[in-house]
Amino acid sequence: LTSLLPLALSNNNNNKDRRLFSARSLPGQSFDLITMSFFGLGGSGLKIQVVLDGNRTDKNKENVVPMHHTPSWKLRKNPFWRIGSSVATVPTSEAGSALLYAYEASEDIGGKVLLMLPPGKKADHLGIKIQFIGRIDMGHGVHEGRPHYDFISLTKELSPPGTLFQPMTEIPFLFKHVEKEYESYMGRNVNVRYFVKVMVERKFLPPITQEADVWVQLFGQPPAQNEAIKMEVGIEECLHIEFEYERRAYHLKDTIIGNIHFLLVRIKIKYMELAVIRREISGEGVAAIAEDEKSPNNNPGNASNNIFTETQTLVKYGIMDGCPFAKDIIPVRLCLEGIPSDLTPTYTSVNNRFSVRYYLNLVLVDEEDRRYFKQQEIILWRKELGG
């Protein structure tokens, strides 16, 4: 390259000093442009699009379904947000977008990679590869150490080194019999993500990459013993109530039904409400924290300093207004599908890095604004795919 510079400048000796000064003062710009021109690596305009085969007609319709939205940790302000929602699109590249599908864990992940060039252009490459990655992302700033953990990492070669000439090149791919043991999850401090990543290797330049997310969900089963929840709580000689819920485990679109019995009322109650709470615990050693919570000798001081807890009130219902009398019975009926949030199944120590649990929180408030509450954990499981 340096030997060609005197030839390019020899035709005009008067401007020789000025051009050499320009080449020295802007070495990055001048030499990069010349290098890209000589080797044909710049200006190809190559774009990549990943199209998943979620809408293939030969797939089991129950195991691959379109998502109406991208699930998240956030609460919706509109309580009727599910009504009239259309199939959400997840952008993959400037060339287009791909539908977001929910895959059952046993389903194969396949589709096609589209490589697009402007007319009359070509692109040299050192090989085209595709990866399927399952990742627990803990890089939200609160966690120290590694930002993410890959529990699945598979790589396949789509094309050997060569040159692309066609305006559109289509390459199919398929990852078969991949064990996907965790659900996709987007939480407050931790995410579980599955994605397909395409890489076009280039000489002297970083690879061109493109990713497409795959949402994975797992069918659950109700527990063999789904006993009713019965508890008595109160204040000695002041308040004695008994609450009962017909089951401990519910699927994500189920309805919680129960009753609250007032056996003794000697305080003036202003109102009573029932809330659904989600608690995300993340960090190293979550399994040990879960065991400590079950232990009768639980000591919160034993928890690791790297454990973070996020508590979120998903919904709050007023179920009584005014002071009840003794022997009054208040019915409870709470529809989980009406909660303005994306419910997930109960997760217990996922990869020993995080857990997600749900609780019913019953709160009574007296006329002096003193609050009396009782929490009870419930188990959620997935009956069908979708958001």
Side-chain angles (χ1 to χ4, degrees):
L1 181 61
T2 56
S3 63
L4 295 177
L5 286 176
L7 295 177
L9 301 177
S10 60
N11 293 330
N12 192 347
N13 293 329
N14 295 331
N15 294 331
K16 182 176 180 180
D17 293 338
R18 181 174 58 83
R19 292 189 180 184
L20 286 177
F21 175 78
S22 176
R24 292 191 187 100
S25 61
L26 298 173
Q29 295 181 17
S30 301
F31 283 82
D32 284 349
L33 291 174
I34 297 174
T35 304
M36 292 167 67
S37 176
F38 278 136
F39 292 97
L41 297 176
S44 64
L46 177 64
K47 296 181 180 180
I48 307 173
Q49 182 178 358
V50 181
V51 180
L52 299 175
D53 60 355
N55 57 353
R56 241 173 49 192
T57 56
D58 59 335
K59 277 190 170 291
N60 189 336
K61 296 299 183 182
E62 295 182 355
N63 291 349
V64 181
V65 299
M67 299 287 286
H68 295 287
H69 62 282
T70 304
S72 70
W73 169 268
K74 298 180 180 179
L75 291 174
R76 266 71 177 184
K77 296 182 179 180
N78 179 12
F80 307 105
W81 64 282
R82 291 185 185 272
I83 300 177
S85 60
S86 59
V87 177
T89 58
V90 178
T92 57
S93 68
E94 296 179 359
S97 60
L99 290 174
L100 177 65
Y101 289 92
Y103 286 77
E104 202 274 328
S106 62
E107 283 294 315
D108 300 333
I109 306 298
K112 57 187 178 181
V113 176
L114 304 180
L115 304 170
M116 295 164 284
L117 283 171
K121 293 286 186 177
K122 70 173 184 176
D124 298 326
H125 64 87
L126 300 180
I128 303 173
K129 297 179 181 179
I130 188 169
Q131 290 181 311
F132 180 66
I133 298 174
R135 174 173 295 174
I136 298 178
D137 185 5
M138 304 179 72
H140 290 266
V142 298
H143 297 288
E144 299 177 356
R146 294 171 56 188
H148 60 258
Y149 304 85
D150 293 345
F151 55 91
I152 296 177
S153 183
L154 302 175
T155 304
K156 290 186 176 182
E157 185 179 16
L158 296 180
S159 176
T163 304
L164 298 175
F165 295 98
Q166 300 297 327
M168 174 74 72
T169 302
E170 181 178 313
I171 306 176
F173 69 89
L174 180 64
F175 291 94
K176 298 185 65 175
H177 309 302
V178 181
E179 182 180 1
K180 300 176 282 293
E181 56 181 324
Y182 309 126
E183 278 206 346
S184 297
Y185 172 71
M186 187 173 294
R188 179 65 177 85
N189 293 324
V190 61
N191 295 336
V192 177
R193 184 183 175 215
Y194 295 87
F195 60 98
V196 174
K197 181 178 181 179
V198 179
M199 297 177 294
V200 179
E201 301 287 346
R202 300 182 294 172
K203 192 174 183 179
F204 303 126
L205 292 174
I208 303 175
T209 63
Q210 182 62 53
E211 298 178 357
D213 282 285
V214 178
W215 202 265
V216 175
Q217 295 180 339
L218 279 66
F219 284 122
Q221 294 293 334
Q225 296 182 351
N226 195 2
E227 70 281 359
I229 301 175
K230 294 183 179 181
M231 296 189 67
E232 292 186 8
V233 296
I235 305 172
E236 186 176 359
E237 298 184 357
C238 293
L239 179 67
H240 186 192
I241 63 175
E242 178 184 272
F243 62 88
E244 177 181 358
Y245 304 111
E246 63 176 11
R247 301 194 304 276
R248 184 180 299 273
Y250 301 88
H251 62 77
L252 299 183
K253 296 184 178 180
D254 212 338
T255 300
I256 298 174
I257 299 176
N259 292 293
I260 299 174
H261 303 260
F262 287 86
L263 305 179
L264 176 64
V265 181
R266 291 181 179 175
I267 60 175
K268 294 182 179 181
I269 298 177
K270 186 161 55 174
Y271 64 89
M272 180 171 60
E273 60 188 18
L274 182 67
V276 178
I277 294 175
R278 173 164 54 194
R279 185 168 296 147
E280 176 192 274
I281 304 175
S282 59
E284 297 285 350
V286 167
I289 299 298
E291 291 299 323
D292 289 343
E293 290 179 350
K294 297 178 181 178
S295 172
N297 299 321
N298 178 26
N299 181 8
N302 295 334
S304 170
N305 293 329
N306 201 30
I307 297 295
F308 296 88
T309 301
E310 291 286 343
T311 300
Q312 183 183 40
T313 300
L314 302 180
V315 71
K316 189 183 295 184
Y317 288 114
I319 58 177
M320 186 189 71
D321 191 10
C323 186
F325 295 97
K327 298 185 179 180
D328 278 353
I329 299 176
I330 307 298
V332 175
R333 187 178 183 91
L334 193 155
C335 183
L336 294 177
E337 192 174 11
I339 294 178
S341 178
D342 296 304
L343 294 180
T344 68
T346 297
Y347 300 142
T348 304
S349 183
V350 176
N351 200 248
N352 197 23
R353 304 195 188 281
F354 77 95
S355 64
V356 179
R357 299 175 181 272
Y358 293 87
Y359 299 85
L360 294 178
N361 190 39
L362 183 66
V363 180
L364 288 88
V365 181
D366 65 13
E367 291 186 348
E368 297 180 3
D369 289 330
R370 290 178 297 191
R371 302 172 67 88
Y372 311 91
F373 66 92
K374 181 64 177 179
Q375 282 191 5
Q376 175 63 46
E377 183 179 4
I378 58 174
I379 307 299
L380 300 186
W381 57 280
R382 186 179 302 282
K383 185 178 181 180
E384 58 186 37
L385 301 186

